[in-house]
Amino acid sequence: MTNKLWKLLTSLRLTVVLLAFSIVLVFIGTVAQADEGLYQAQARYFKHWFVNGFTFFGHKVPVPLPGGYLLGTLLLVNLTAAHISRFQWTWKKLGIHLTHLGVILLLVGQLATDLLSRETQMRFAEGETRAWSESGMDYELIFVTDADADNEEVVAIPQKLLAPGAELKHEKLPFTVRVKEFWPNSTRPEFRAPMMQSQGAPLTTNGVGASFNFRPEKVTHAMDDKNVPVAILEIITPGGSPGTWVAPGWVDDEPMSSFLRRVWRQDFGKQLADNMAAKLTRPQTIEASGKRFTFSLRPARTYTPFTVTLLKTTHTTYPGRPDLPKDFRSRVRIQNPAKGEDREVEIFMNNPLRYAGLTFFQYQMVGEEMAAQRGEKPSSVLQVVRNPGWITPYAGCIIVGVGMVIQFMIHLVGFVQKRKTA
Amino acid sequence: MLLALIPFLLAGCDRPEIRSYRVAKETSSSPVTWAKLPDGWAVTENSRMSVAAFLVGGEGGQTAEITATPLPPLGGRETDIVNMWRQQVGQPALGDDEAAKQLQPVAIGGEEGQLFEISSSPTNSEPTRIVTAMLHRKSASWFFKLSGDPAVVDAQKPAFVEFLKTVRVNDAALAGAAHSMAARAPAPHSAPPPPQNFKWKVPEGWQPAAPGPMQNAKFSVPASGGAAEVSVSIFPSDTGGTLANVNRWRGQIGLGAATESDLASLVTPLTASPGALLVDMANNGRQFIGAIVPRGGQWYFYKLLGEAAAVAPQKEKFVEFVKSEP
């Protein structure tokens, strides 16, 4: 039995079958992106062990497939087992050993990248300083209270824990948060005129819920769209419940609140739009055990032990083509008190900054001209990538290349010597 | 081979959990925050210069407004400030010494500010009382004003003083809003902007005026019998329905709230649009003619308000204006 299993794991047939399935999965997963969206398709087809039915040109096909994780793991096991099984330490096979080692490194490196890498965005206007970057997709519910004169204590609850009915507690919170509703996506907030009992009862009479109507919306997978969640929360203190609040993702998600402001300005004029925006972004607070907590549902943050200040944005286009960007670059200042570091760096297309295990890529920009049109300051967005396994593809490819060259040379030298002998 | 499986085991451990951490305080994006609103205060729309505004009602339907307004630093110009407010309520200007006597110390968010009170002249037809607290800082002077019906202002003064203690002002947040504030501030000598993008026919004699907060158009209506004005506001909803709006309008001419059953006798349907209605109310020599017209998914609120002698002759023109396509 063990022998049979070992034989199977080391067989070339298994390699061929797995590669064939991989080709099918890559094809189906790529086609499915049109229906399911890039992130959803990547997650469902390549980041799962099994795919429970797939979408093919708009049709749902109820056929299970092995997922990317399963195929990758089996390929890795197959390759490693075959290598061990057929391993012979002779110089003549050095090239083959190196090539196998390189392929194993590529597979493991890709797996590590997939599991450990994180992509976030650092978004700031000129003159602003950031010590954090934020997720483009995930949100967190935060409760913030004063710790001392200069610092604040933050309790962050990831979006994944905000399931309807969940009761969330933490030692730093003198209350329980009961999740009454959680909508992964919501429609644009609808303004209710102040001091009015608008059509239908408001979701709550506390905070932002008194001024805006919020409604759930179908989750979107489109690349040019975004899911903006809304949580309806009841706070429960030892003395009872002070009430229910709405925590909308629209408030502290800068691109979304900026989008709302632009749409409202178009629809209602600047004055009313600014007024509505001020009402939407007014901090919501609750008091418990003598402490005041400000709360909001914001894009999940990752903090850095250093600060980045956006000093200057430069956005140039080709002459006569104002729609075609030629170059956009951000001049930033890095300050790291722990290392006594304070320097300026330019980040531009194909010239990322690598610092403290992070890579900062130039991602988006609102240049001076567009900012002036919108009545905003010029701003920039840097893609911040943490990928501990970033070196493995480079190392893997070099090892495979060296292995192939060595193997070729061994054969070439052998061939030439044979001809000389003949 | 086992090493290769470690990432999978790690992935299994990557469960979401509640985190807590301490970070340096962020600069709030809101220029003014407060701990708790006093009972009865409701957030209302900001006026042109204010960054926060509240409304509080009295027992007889009278109201008072509370606003927070940042202005460029005005420290050392206390006499001018006091006289500016005195002028607003028709009181004569004071000299430096007299003006200084008006100022009392008051706590504003842990800092010491100054407070003064002014009442309108007894001959004023609309008695007004203003309590102003000011805090001069390096980059801005902050004004917190409680103004309105004298009885309401007197009743709310203790709550106002308590509120001031919890207020936090954030000058840094003003920097981002500076150009927006500048844009909101009326240009001192510019002509009022004409109503924009409207096709309606404005009745003869109505003069376009600068629309107030939440208004899309405004006209002053010159009349020999007194002053009146017309305003138009457009909202994406009915802002609470007919009863809520009618009661808000009743409050503006000192009438008490009506009930749902009173509505039928108060409103008359208009042929402008299905669901359109007109309301005509008067009290103490003032008249209010209002119209609510649903059009194309929006609600148009028309208001003709002023002294009854000036409003009544304009009713017909007003109704025609309301019916015309905007």
Coordinates of all heavy atoms in Angstrom, one line a residue, chain A residues 178-248:
Chain A
R178 N -23.2 44.8 20.0 CA -24.1 43.8 19.4 C -24.3 44.2 17.9 O -24.8 45.3 17.7 CB -25.4 43.7 20.1 CG -26.3 42.7 19.5 CD -27.7 42.6 20.3 NE -27.5 42.1 21.6 CZ -28.4 42.3 22.6 NH1 -29.5 43.0 22.3 NH2 -28.3 41.7 23.8
V179 N -24.0 43.3 17.0 CA -24.1 43.6 15.6 C -25.6 43.3 15.2 O -26.0 42.1 15.2 CB -23.2 42.8 14.7 CG1 -23.3 43.2 13.3 CG2 -21.7 43.1 15.2
K180 N -26.4 44.3 15.0 CA -27.8 44.0 14.6 C -27.9 43.7 13.2 O -28.7 42.8 12.8 CB -28.7 45.3 15.0 CG -28.8 45.5 16.5 CD -29.7 46.7 16.8 CE -31.1 46.4 16.8 NZ -31.9 47.5 17.3
E181 N -27.2 44.4 12.4 CA -27.2 44.2 10.9 C -25.8 44.4 10.4 O -25.1 45.3 10.9 CB -28.1 45.1 10.2 CG -29.5 45.0 10.5 CD -30.3 44.1 9.6 OE1 -29.7 43.5 8.7 OE2 -31.5 44.0 9.8
F182 N -25.4 43.7 9.4 CA -24.1 44.0 8.7 C -24.4 43.8 7.2 O -24.7 42.8 6.7 CB -22.9 43.2 9.1 CG -21.7 43.6 8.4 CD1 -21.0 44.8 8.8 CD2 -21.2 42.9 7.3 CE1 -19.9 45.2 8.2 CE2 -20.1 43.3 6.7 CZ -19.4 44.5 7.1
W183 N -24.3 44.9 6.4 CA -24.5 44.9 5.0 C -23.1 45.0 4.3 O -22.4 46.0 4.5 CB -25.4 46.0 4.5 CG -26.7 46.0 5.2 CD1 -27.4 45.0 5.7 CD2 -27.5 47.2 5.5 NE1 -28.6 45.4 6.3 CE2 -28.7 46.8 6.1 CE3 -27.3 48.6 5.2 CZ2 -29.6 47.7 6.5 CZ3 -28.3 49.4 5.6 CH2 -29.5 49.0 6.3
P184 N -22.6 43.9 3.6 CA -21.3 44.0 3.0 C -21.2 45.1 2.0 O -20.1 45.6 1.6 CB -21.1 42.6 2.4 CG -22.1 41.8 3.0 CD -23.3 42.6 3.4
N185 N -22.4 45.5 1.4 CA -22.4 46.6 0.5 C -23.6 47.4 0.7 O -24.7 46.9 1.2 CB -22.3 46.1 -1.0 CG -22.0 47.1 -2.0 OD1 -21.5 48.2 -1.6 ND2 -22.3 46.8 -3.3
S186 N -23.6 48.7 0.3 CA -24.7 49.6 0.6 C -24.9 50.6 -0.5 O -23.9 50.9 -1.2 CB -24.6 50.3 1.9 OG -23.4 51.1 1.9
T187 N -26.1 51.1 -0.7 CA -26.3 52.2 -1.7 C -25.8 53.5 -1.1 O -25.5 53.6 0.1 CB -27.8 52.3 -2.0 OG1 -28.5 52.6 -0.8 CG2 -28.3 51.1 -2.6
R188 N -25.7 54.5 -2.0 CA -25.2 55.8 -1.6 C -26.1 56.3 -0.5 O -27.4 56.2 -0.6 CB -25.3 56.8 -2.7 CG -24.0 56.9 -3.4 CD -24.1 58.1 -4.3 NE -24.4 57.7 -5.7 CZ -25.0 58.5 -6.6 NH1 -25.4 59.8 -6.2 NH2 -25.3 58.1 -7.8
P189 N -25.6 56.9 0.6 CA -26.5 57.5 1.6 C -27.4 58.5 1.1 O -27.0 59.3 0.2 CB -25.5 58.2 2.6 CG -24.2 57.6 2.3 CD -24.2 57.2 0.9
E190 N -28.7 58.4 1.5 CA -29.7 59.4 1.1 C -29.9 60.4 2.2 O -30.2 60.0 3.3 CB -31.0 58.7 0.7 CG -31.0 57.8 -0.4 CD -32.2 56.9 -0.4 OE1 -33.2 57.2 0.2 OE2 -32.1 55.8 -1.1
F191 N -29.8 61.7 1.8 CA -29.9 62.7 2.8 C -31.3 62.9 3.3 O -32.3 63.0 2.6 CB -29.4 64.0 2.2 CG -29.4 65.2 3.2 CD1 -28.7 65.1 4.4 CD2 -30.1 66.4 2.9 CE1 -28.7 66.2 5.2 CE2 -30.1 67.4 3.7 CZ -29.4 67.4 4.9
R192 N -31.5 63.0 4.7 CA -32.8 63.4 5.3 C -32.6 64.8 5.8 O -31.6 65.1 6.4 CB -33.1 62.5 6.4 CG -33.1 61.0 6.1 CD -33.1 60.2 7.4 NE -34.2 60.4 8.2 CZ -35.4 59.7 8.2 NH1 -35.4 58.7 7.4 NH2 -36.4 60.0 9.0
A193 N -33.5 65.7 5.4 CA -33.3 67.1 5.9 C -33.3 67.1 7.4 O -33.9 66.3 8.1 CB -34.5 67.9 5.4
P194 N -32.5 68.0 7.9 CA -32.3 68.1 9.4 C -33.6 68.3 10.1 O -34.5 68.9 9.6 CB -31.4 69.2 9.6 CG -31.4 70.0 8.3 CD -31.8 69.1 7.2
M195 N -33.7 67.7 11.3 CA -34.8 67.9 12.2 C -36.1 67.4 11.7 O -37.2 67.8 12.1 CB -35.0 69.4 12.6 CG -33.8 70.0 13.2 SD -34.1 71.7 13.6 CE -35.5 71.5 14.7
M196 N -36.1 66.5 10.7 CA -37.3 66.0 10.1 C -37.5 64.5 10.4 O -36.5 63.8 10.4 CB -37.3 66.3 8.6 CG -37.3 67.7 8.2 SD -38.9 68.4 8.7 CE -38.5 70.1 8.7
Q197 N -38.7 64.1 10.5 CA -39.0 62.7 10.5 C -39.3 62.4 9.0 O -40.4 62.6 8.5 CB -40.2 62.4 11.3 CG -40.1 62.8 12.8 CD -38.9 62.1 13.4 OE1 -38.9 60.9 13.4 NE2 -38.0 62.9 14.1
S198 N -38.3 62.0 8.3 CA -38.4 61.8 6.9 C -39.3 60.6 6.5 O -39.8 59.9 7.4 CB -37.0 61.6 6.2 OG -37.1 61.7 4.9
Q199 N -39.5 60.4 5.2 CA -40.3 59.3 4.8 C -39.8 58.0 5.4 O -38.7 57.6 5.2 CB -40.4 59.2 3.3 CG -39.1 58.7 2.5 CD -38.1 59.8 2.4 OE1 -38.1 60.8 3.1 NE2 -37.1 59.5 1.6
G200 N -40.7 57.3 6.1 CA -40.3 56.1 6.8 C -39.5 56.5 8.0 O -38.9 57.6 8.1
A201 N -39.4 55.6 9.0 CA -38.6 55.9 10.2 C -37.1 55.8 9.8 O -36.7 55.0 9.0 CB -39.0 55.0 11.3
P202 N -36.3 56.7 10.5 CA -34.9 56.5 10.2 C -34.4 55.2 10.9 O -35.0 54.6 11.8 CB -34.2 57.7 11.0 CG -35.2 58.1 12.0 CD -36.6 57.7 11.4
L203 N -33.2 54.7 10.4 CA -32.6 53.5 10.9 C -32.4 53.6 12.5 O -32.6 52.7 13.2 CB -31.3 53.2 10.3 CG -31.4 52.5 8.9 CD1 -30.0 52.5 8.3 CD2 -31.9 51.1 9.0
T204 N -32.0 54.8 12.8 CA -31.8 55.1 14.2 C -31.8 56.6 14.4 O -31.6 57.4 13.4 CB -30.5 54.6 14.8 OG1 -30.2 55.2 16.0 CG2 -29.3 54.9 13.9
T205 N -32.2 57.1 15.6 CA -32.2 58.6 15.7 C -30.9 59.1 16.3 O -30.7 60.3 16.6 CB -33.3 59.0 16.7 OG1 -33.2 58.2 17.9 CG2 -34.7 58.8 16.1
N206 N -29.9 58.2 16.5 CA -28.6 58.6 17.0 C -27.7 58.9 15.8 O -27.7 58.2 14.8 CB -28.0 57.5 17.8 CG -28.7 57.2 19.1 OD1 -29.2 58.2 19.7 ND2 -28.9 56.0 19.4
G207 N -26.8 59.9 16.0 CA -25.7 60.1 15.1 C -26.1 60.3 13.6 O -27.2 60.8 13.3
V208 N -25.3 59.7 12.8 CA -25.5 59.9 11.3 C -26.8 59.2 10.8 O -27.3 59.7 9.8 CB -24.2 59.3 10.6 CG1 -24.2 57.8 10.6 CG2 -24.2 59.8 9.2
G209 N -27.3 58.3 11.5 CA -28.5 57.6 11.1 C -29.7 58.5 11.1 O -30.7 58.3 10.4
A210 N -29.7 59.6 11.9 CA -30.8 60.6 11.9 C -30.8 61.5 10.7 O -31.8 62.0 10.3 CB -30.6 61.4 13.2
S211 N -29.7 61.6 10.0 CA -29.6 62.5 8.9 C -29.6 61.8 7.6 O -29.7 62.5 6.5 CB -28.3 63.4 9.0 OG -28.3 64.1 10.2
F212 N -29.3 60.5 7.6 CA -29.2 59.8 6.3 C -29.9 58.5 6.3 O -30.0 57.8 7.4 CB -27.7 59.6 6.0 CG -26.9 60.8 5.6 CD1 -26.3 61.5 6.6 CD2 -26.8 61.3 4.3 CE1 -25.6 62.7 6.3 CE2 -26.2 62.4 4.0 CZ -25.5 63.1 5.0
N213 N -30.4 58.1 5.2 CA -31.0 56.8 5.0 C -29.9 55.9 4.4 O -29.2 56.3 3.5 CB -32.2 56.8 4.1 CG -33.4 57.4 4.7 OD1 -33.5 57.4 6.0 ND2 -34.2 58.0 3.9
F214 N -29.8 54.7 4.9 CA -28.8 53.7 4.3 C -29.6 52.5 3.9 O -30.5 52.1 4.6 CB -27.7 53.3 5.4 CG -26.9 54.5 5.8 CD1 -27.2 55.3 6.9 CD2 -25.8 54.9 5.1 CE1 -26.5 56.3 7.3 CE2 -25.0 55.9 5.4 CZ -25.3 56.7 6.6
R215 N -29.2 51.9 2.8 CA -29.9 50.7 2.3 C -28.9 49.7 1.9 O -27.8 50.0 1.3 CB -30.8 51.0 1.2 CG -31.9 51.9 1.5 CD -32.8 52.2 0.3 NE -33.3 53.6 0.4 CZ -34.3 53.9 1.2 NH1 -34.9 53.1 2.0 NH2 -34.8 55.2 1.2
P216 N -29.2 48.3 2.1 CA -28.2 47.3 1.6 C -28.2 47.2 0.1 O -29.2 47.6 -0.5 CB -28.7 46.0 2.2 CG -30.2 46.3 2.6 CD -30.3 47.8 2.8
E217 N -27.1 46.8 -0.5 CA -27.0 46.7 -1.9 C -26.3 45.3 -2.2 O -25.5 44.8 -1.3 CB -26.1 47.8 -2.4 CG -25.7 47.8 -3.9 CD -26.8 48.1 -4.8 OE1 -27.9 47.4 -4.7 OE2 -26.7 49.1 -5.6
K218 N -26.6 44.7 -3.4 CA -26.0 43.5 -3.7 C -24.5 43.6 -3.8 O -24.0 44.6 -4.3 CB -26.5 43.1 -5.1 CG -26.6 41.6 -5.4 CD -27.3 41.4 -6.7 CE -26.7 40.2 -7.3 NZ -27.1 40.0 -8.7
V219 N -23.8 42.6 -3.3 CA -22.3 42.7 -3.3 C -21.8 42.7 -4.8 O -22.3 42.0 -5.6 CB -21.7 41.4 -2.6 CG1 -20.2 41.3 -2.9 CG2 -22.0 41.5 -1.1
T220 N -20.9 43.6 -5.1 CA -20.4 43.7 -6.4 C -19.0 43.1 -6.6 O -18.3 43.0 -5.6 CB -20.3 45.2 -6.8 OG1 -19.7 45.3 -8.1 CG2 -19.4 46.0 -5.9
H221 N -18.8 42.5 -7.8 CA -17.4 42.0 -8.0 C -16.8 42.7 -9.2 O -15.7 42.3 -9.7 CB -17.6 40.5 -8.4 CG -18.2 39.7 -7.4 ND1 -17.7 39.6 -6.1 CD2 -19.3 38.9 -7.3 CE1 -18.4 38.8 -5.4 NE2 -19.5 38.4 -6.1
A222 N -17.4 43.8 -9.6 CA -16.9 44.5 -10.8 C -15.6 45.2 -10.4 O -15.4 45.7 -9.2 CB -17.9 45.6 -11.2
M223 N -14.7 45.3 -11.3 CA -13.4 45.9 -11.0 C -13.4 47.4 -10.8 O -12.6 48.0 -10.0 CB -12.4 45.7 -12.2 CG -11.8 44.3 -12.3 SD -10.8 44.0 -10.8 CE -9.4 45.1 -11.1
D224 N -14.4 48.1 -11.4 CA -14.5 49.5 -11.3 C -15.5 49.9 -10.2 O -16.0 51.0 -10.2 CB -14.8 50.2 -12.6 CG -16.1 49.6 -13.2 OD1 -16.6 48.6 -12.7 OD2 -16.5 50.2 -14.2
D225 N -15.9 49.0 -9.4 CA -16.9 49.3 -8.3 C -16.3 48.8 -7.0 O -15.3 48.2 -6.9 CB -18.2 48.5 -8.6 CG -19.4 49.2 -8.1 OD1 -19.2 50.1 -7.3 OD2 -20.5 48.8 -8.5
K226 N -17.0 49.2 -5.9 CA -16.4 48.9 -4.6 C -17.6 48.6 -3.7 O -18.6 49.2 -3.7 CB -15.6 50.0 -4.1 CG -14.9 49.7 -2.8 CD -14.1 50.9 -2.3 CE -13.4 50.4 -1.0 NZ -12.6 51.4 -0.4
N227 N -17.4 47.6 -2.8 CA -18.3 47.3 -1.8 C -18.1 48.2 -0.6 O -17.0 48.2 0.0 CB -18.2 45.8 -1.3 CG -18.6 44.9 -2.4 OD1 -19.7 45.0 -3.0 ND2 -17.8 43.9 -2.8
V228 N -19.1 49.0 -0.2 CA -19.0 49.8 1.0 C -19.9 49.3 2.0 O -21.2 49.4 1.9 CB -19.3 51.3 0.6 CG1 -19.0 52.2 1.8 CG2 -18.4 51.8 -0.5
P229 N -19.4 48.8 3.1 CA -20.3 48.1 4.1 C -21.0 49.1 5.0 O -20.5 50.3 5.2 CB -19.4 47.2 4.9 CG -18.0 47.8 4.8 CD -18.0 48.6 3.5
V230 N -22.0 48.7 5.7 CA -22.7 49.5 6.7 C -23.0 48.5 7.9 O -23.5 47.4 7.6 CB -24.0 50.1 6.2 CG1 -24.9 50.6 7.3 CG2 -23.7 51.2 5.2
A231 N -22.7 48.9 9.1 CA -23.0 48.1 10.3 C -24.0 48.8 11.1 O -23.9 50.0 11.3 CB -21.8 47.8 11.0
I232 N -25.0 48.1 11.6 CA -26.0 48.7 12.5 C -25.7 48.1 13.9 O -25.8 46.8 14.0 CB -27.4 48.5 12.1 CG1 -27.6 49.2 10.7 CG2 -28.4 49.1 13.1 CD1 -28.9 48.9 10.0
L233 N -25.3 48.9 14.8 CA -24.8 48.4 16.1 C -25.6 48.8 17.3 O -26.0 50.0 17.3 CB -23.4 48.9 16.3 CG -22.4 48.8 15.1 CD1 -21.2 49.7 15.3 CD2 -22.0 47.3 15.0
E234 N -25.8 47.9 18.2 CA -26.3 48.3 19.5 C -25.3 48.2 20.6 O -24.5 47.2 20.6 CB -27.5 47.4 19.9 CG -28.2 47.8 21.1 CD -29.4 46.9 21.5 OE1 -29.5 45.9 20.9 OE2 -30.1 47.3 22.4
I235 N -25.1 49.2 21.3 CA -24.1 49.2 22.4 C -24.8 48.8 23.7 O -25.9 49.3 24.0 CB -23.5 50.7 22.5 CG1 -23.0 51.2 21.2 CG2 -22.5 50.7 23.6 CD1 -21.9 50.3 20.6
I236 N -24.2 47.9 24.4 CA -24.8 47.4 25.6 C -23.8 47.6 26.8 O -22.7 47.1 26.8 CB -25.2 45.9 25.5 CG1 -26.1 45.7 24.4 CG2 -25.8 45.4 26.8 CD1 -26.2 44.4 23.9
T237 N -24.2 48.5 27.7 CA -23.3 48.8 28.8 C -23.9 48.0 30.0 O -25.0 47.6 30.0 CB -23.3 50.3 29.2 OG1 -24.6 50.7 29.5 CG2 -22.8 51.1 28.0
P238 N -23.1 48.0 31.1 CA -23.7 47.3 32.3 C -25.0 47.9 32.8 O -25.9 47.2 33.3 CB -22.6 47.4 33.4 CG -21.3 47.6 32.6 CD -21.7 48.3 31.3
G239 N -25.2 49.2 32.5 CA -26.4 49.9 32.9 C -27.5 49.8 31.9 O -28.6 50.4 32.1
G240 N -27.3 49.1 30.8 CA -28.4 49.0 29.8 C -27.9 49.4 28.5 O -26.7 49.6 28.3
S241 N -28.8 49.6 27.6 CA -28.4 50.0 26.2 C -28.7 51.5 25.9 O -29.8 51.9 26.0 CB -29.2 49.1 25.2 OG -29.0 49.7 23.9
P242 N -27.6 52.2 25.7 CA -27.8 53.6 25.4 C -28.4 53.9 24.0 O -28.8 55.0 23.6 CB -26.5 54.3 25.5 CG -25.5 53.2 25.3 CD -26.2 51.9 25.7
G243 N -28.5 52.8 23.1 CA -29.1 53.0 21.8 C -28.4 52.2 20.7 O -27.5 51.5 20.9
T244 N -28.9 52.5 19.5 CA -28.4 51.9 18.3 C -27.8 53.0 17.4 O -28.3 54.1 17.3 CB -29.6 51.2 17.6 OG1 -30.1 50.2 18.5 CG2 -29.2 50.5 16.3
W245 N -26.7 52.6 16.8 CA -26.1 53.5 15.9 C -25.8 52.9 14.5 O -25.7 51.6 14.4 CB -24.7 54.0 16.4 CG -24.8 55.1 17.4 CD1 -24.6 56.4 17.2 CD2 -25.0 55.0 18.8 NE1 -24.7 57.2 18.3 CE2 -25.0 56.3 19.4 CE3 -25.2 53.9 19.7 CZ2 -25.1 56.6 20.7 CZ3 -25.4 54.2 21.0 CH2 -25.4 55.5 21.5
V246 N -25.7 53.7 13.5 CA -25.3 53.2 12.2 C -23.8 53.6 12.0 O -23.4 54.7 12.2 CB -26.1 53.9 11.1 CG1 -25.6 53.4 9.7 CG2 -27.6 53.6 11.3
A247 N -23.0 52.6 11.6 CA -21.6 52.8 11.3 C -21.4 52.6 9.8 O -21.3 51.5 9.4 CB -20.7 51.9 12.1
P248 N -21.4 53.6 9.0 CA -21.3 53.4 7.5 C -19.9 53.5 7.1 O -19.1 54.3 7.6 CB -22.1 54.6 7.0 CG -22.1 55.7 8.0 CD -21.7 55.0 9.3

